[in-house]
Amino acid sequence: MRRSARLLYATVTAAGSTAGLKPAPMALLPPIPLYRRLLRAHRHKLPRESRLLGDEYVKSEFRAHRNVENPVHIVGFLTEWQMYAQTVEGDGWRDARLDKGKIDKMSDQQLGQLYELMQAIRAKDMEDDGDAYSVNEKER
């Protein structure tokens, strides 16, 4: 992402919204402090396996978006990651579900990534259940 003070300190606006109906817009963090905040939130709030997966994903996404110059894309990218950081820091994510509106807006590539993530999580859960099963079998 190309640095631009105008974009880094821009605020998210709700175009066309009436005053008082939506919460006040949050100021966006610049990319590097947001990146550090995400890794810090992972370190303090996630279990080890989730943290490793999350850190790799954050690193790859920020690397992939390093040279983006479209201001709308940059603001959207930073906004979504900042909302994610707030969610992880607040522990509200544990039993949360994805919003259908966000899923509808995802591209085919993003849906593919989400599906791969779901498969990896299920495989890990089955592996963990298999380990518990084999331990219980040994105790008999």
Side-chain angles (χ1 to χ4, degrees):
M1 283 177 255
R2 195 171 50 147
R3 292 183 183 241
S4 169
R6 179 178 58 85
L7 291 175
L8 294 178
Y9 298 108
T11 58
V12 179
T13 60
S17 68
T18 56
L21 296 179
K22 292 191 176 182
M26 62 183 165
L28 288 178
L29 287 173
I32 293 175
L34 179 59
Y35 177 80
R36 290 177 182 154
R37 178 181 174 184
L38 290 164
L39 295 179
R40 193 176 313 114
H42 284 178
R43 187 170 55 246
H44 293 294
K45 299 288 185 170
L46 297 181
R48 180 173 168 71
E49 296 83 16
S50 299
R51 183 181 133 211
L52 294 174
L53 178 66
D55 286 353
E56 285 302 313
Y57 189 74
V58 167
K59 290 174 185 178
S60 69
E61 283 296 304
F62 272 76
R63 230 178 267 126
H65 290 83
R66 183 182 302 163
N67 296 322
V68 171
E69 295 185 12
N70 182 348
V72 173
H73 188 80
I74 293 170
V75 170
F77 178 81
L78 295 175
T79 301
E80 288 298 319
W81 278 110
Q82 189 160 329
M83 288 190 319
Y84 168 78
Q86 290 172 343
T87 303
V88 170
E89 290 168 345
D91 286 333
W93 55 273
R94 293 190 188 273
D95 295 323
R97 293 189 173 271
L98 284 176
D99 182 30
K100 183 168 175 20
K102 285 193 180 194
I103 293 174
D104 292 340
K105 290 180 183 179
M106 288 183 181
S107 68
D108 290 341
Q109 181 184 7
Q110 290 170 323
L111 290 172
Q113 287 178 327
L114 187 62
Y115 183 72
E116 289 174 7
L117 177 63
M118 180 189 71
Q119 287 181 323
I121 291 170
R122 284 188 177 169
K124 178 69 175 148
D125 286 345
M126 293 200 52
E127 181 181 300
D128 289 346
D129 290 343
D131 290 343
Y133 178 75
S134 63
V135 169
N136 289 337
E137 288 295 317
K138 290 178 184 176
E139 291 176 357
R140 291 183 182 181

